[in-house]
Amino acid sequence: MRKNLIILGATGSIGQQTLQVVRENPREFRILGLAGGKNLRLLEAQIREFKPKFFSCSGIGKKYARSLQMPLEKLAAQKCDLVVSAISGVAGLAPTLAAIQARNSIALANKESLVLAGKIVMAAAKKNGVNIFPIDSEHSAVWQLLQKVPREQVRRIILTASGGALRDVPLSKFPKISPKQVLAHPTWQMGAKITLDCATLANKAFEIIEAAQLFDFPLEKISAVIHPQSLVHALVETIDGNIFAQISRPTMKLPIALALFEGKRKFGTVQPLDLTQQNFEFRPIDPCRYPLFFSILKAAQRGGIFPAAAAAASEHYGAKFLAGEITFPEIAKLTASSLRKVRQKPANLKNILATVKSFQ
Ligand code: NDP
Ligand code: MG
């Protein structure tokens, strides 16, 4: 039986790479639904190729029958075997929750869902008996490592970060950095938001929150380290002082395939690395270079509404930088000053959505 998939964010970087895995495994998967944003031309081509029963497009034209212009949440809730949640940013939360409430299993790329509402999303998954398979490469690595190392033996989870496009740029040049420079990521090809979040390291702070929620680990037991080569994706340190690492090429194909196959390994997904041709370098995270990382972590430690405020504020100011309206250092400065004005509230869905809205 082929697995029926719904892909949210089909026209994005993860969405297109997921469709490539589907293309290479036509006996395993069938596309039931596709959702895109504004890239109507690409969505049309995907619809022609994969012939989904349902699709949704926020930038849809009049050309299509109204019955096919399905709201995202409705599309996500169609009965299927797996929903790939790969919309970027805070917009990913509502359809991810809708999919879980419809008891659809999730392959999760949209980390923002867990940053905004991790407890709510994980509780809904538990209540509805829904599996969440991580697509984020670091979390895929931790997922694999925790299958080998018993939890009670784990002292610390360590996520790696490439350090982004500005890793080696002198700090004195930061005020004049252009969006183009930030979007030239050294090791990964990704969408604009996450590429910017790699340069500020907001992405890694989000991933620490994501890991805490996905694996039910305290935040203090999860840390991050810069690893410029992006070959080691995560490490697990045990109570006796061993460190186990997951190593693979910097390609999302592996974690996407592992999530689509629900943890089963598929022969020859990618070529293994030739270790003799690689360097493995690790560096600490410099607070002067990456202030946003520390602001978001502080918000995570405060809990309640703060992680949602941090995600929404940094997304808002990040978009302003990409639009040429503010400088690169202002993303961190303005996010930190907005967070100073936030009043703590219980992290229920109403407060979370109101917080997100206050930054839109
Ligand atoms: P992209 O920007 O490449 O793609 C985002 C997708 O979401 C596009 O299909 C876009 O549509 C759609 N989209 C954006 N906003 C909306 C909206 N308001 N309503 C409906 N659709 C929308 O992002 P990525 O693929 O890089 O990232 C997706 C998610 O995966 C993010 O949460 C990211 O953090 C995570 N991730 C990505 C990795 C990567 O390698 N790219 C690695 C690990 C995690 P359109 O383009 O048609 O406008
Ligand atoms: Mg990642």
Side-chain angles (χ1 to χ4, degrees), residues 111 135-139 160 188 190 194 203-204 207 210 252:
K111 63 194 78 184
I135 283 186
D136 216 343
S137 54
E138 297 78 1
H139 303 75
T160 61
W188 296 98
M190 306 181 288
I194 184 173
N203 183 53
K204 211 48 53 179
E207 290 186 353
E210 182 186 9
M252 289 308 293

Side-chain angles (χ1 to χ4, degrees), residues 9-15 17 36-39 58 72 86-89 91 109-112 136 189-192 194 252:
T11 49
S13 158
I14 292 289
Q17 293 178 81
K38 297 198 169 77
N39 192 344
S58 58
L72 260 182
I87 287 178
S88 58
N110 179 263
K111 63 194 78 184
E112 290 86 351
D136 216 343
Q189 296 290 319
M190 306 181 288
I194 184 173
M252 289 308 293

